[in-house]
Amino acid sequence: MDDKEHKLSLKREVGLMGAVSLIGGTMIGSGIFMSPQTVLASIGSPGASLVVWACCGLLVITVSFCYAELGTVIKESGGEYIYILRTSGPVVAFMLVFSSVMFVRPAGIVGISLSFAQYVVAPFYPECSPPVLVVKFVAAAAILTLAVVNSMNVRFSMSVQVFFMVAKVLALAVIIIGGVVMLVRGHNESFKDSFENTNLGINPIGIAFYQGLWSYDGWNNLNYVTEELKRPEKNLPRALLIAISLVTGLYLMVNVSYLAVMTPKELMSSNAVAVTWGNKVLGSWGWIMSVAAALSAFGSLNGTFFSGGRVCFVAAREGHMPEILSMAHVHRLTPSPALIFTTVISLVVLIPGDFQSIVNFCSFTAWFFYGITLGGLIYLKIKKKDLPRPYSVPIILPILVLFVAIFLVLAPIIDNPQIEYLYVALFILSGALIYVPFIHFKLCPGLLRKMTVFLQLFLEVAPADKNL
């Protein structure tokens, strides 16, 4: 009998191409097909909407540079959670992971799955809106399918991501080329007096940014899987720069194409902007855009699933979630218990889910914790100057983005207070109340231990070590 202890750890199987596909493939999802009309409706004019899209891209590139430094200094998976844990302490980190695992990540998965379902069923209901129940059933089927895919094999999941990344870039290329053709033919009415009727209120600007930034959501996904990334000190900053620059350029050109084909009024009244664009440009072949948008959302959903399960996994490894969620399958080396848990919570959130409110409240919560994370980077740059930094940014960058994060959190509340924002804030703070009895004092350990042993045997999983 071999007495040596065999330890499990997640493998480094994500190379530069897979990393770019994970970031870009998650970012290019439902947002660019669902948010343009809301951005335009909020800000009021075509010119200002293009400025919002460009500013969102610039903001995301800037904050991603800060995350690249964090990811090369703290080389652990987990994204914001692990960075806040190492810089702000366990209570704030638990508040993040509680909000993320119980609301933000599942709500993000639900938002993308709903937009996927909308585009899948749209061709079958050409004259009216599809029934809500049908849309939610299709969304649930997509969530369950990707739960199985991500639980089976990391390499297969990455192959799926690369395939859908290529498919969605081709779909956006079709939209861009169609828009260029329409502009050449003189369809530029939307760009005359393009800043007329611009809304300059704090709330419209904040909501427009929330909707635009939803389309860029996923830019930080690679930081959640650092331990599975090959040569993270080089590939992390490279992948961020390549993917986000590509996506920003594509988004700007796609929005120009939408406005070249549709009037602002047509764009704002469309439920599925890519389908409306397809019907006007491609005629009887307009259904192709519905398929392309569905494929795009499906690829984004896969990337969100891939990284979302890792948040649960890392938090459980640090003792902030049940121990079973920190385990990996003994043969497939995937964090299957964490993925199953994320799936269950997502299906629960799907029941009352509404796309627009999900976007606004997710963005509010996300930027609250982005601000805390950037505060942690500023702390490390001032107090921990001796830490090895393969990649570093000027301290002015995290300071500037921190101010933007504060604006995005406070703007909608100050200008147009809604009781829902209070509920979200109380939900975030409730994490601290749960932390004291269940994490600090470890209430009910016996029950959890029995459940862990049963699930460990049933799911064929074992504890996994850090892969640094």
Side-chain angles (χ1 to χ4, degrees), residues 154 255 320 372 434:
V154 171
N255 274 280
H320 283 176
I372 295 174
I434 293 170

Side-chain angles (χ1 to χ4, degrees), residues 11-33:
K11 289 184 178 179
R12 292 193 183 274
E13 292 190 340
V14 183
L16 181 60
M17 183 63 185
V20 171
S21 297
L22 178 61
I23 300 168
T26 309
M27 289 172 70
I28 305 171
S30 59
I32 191 59
F33 301 108

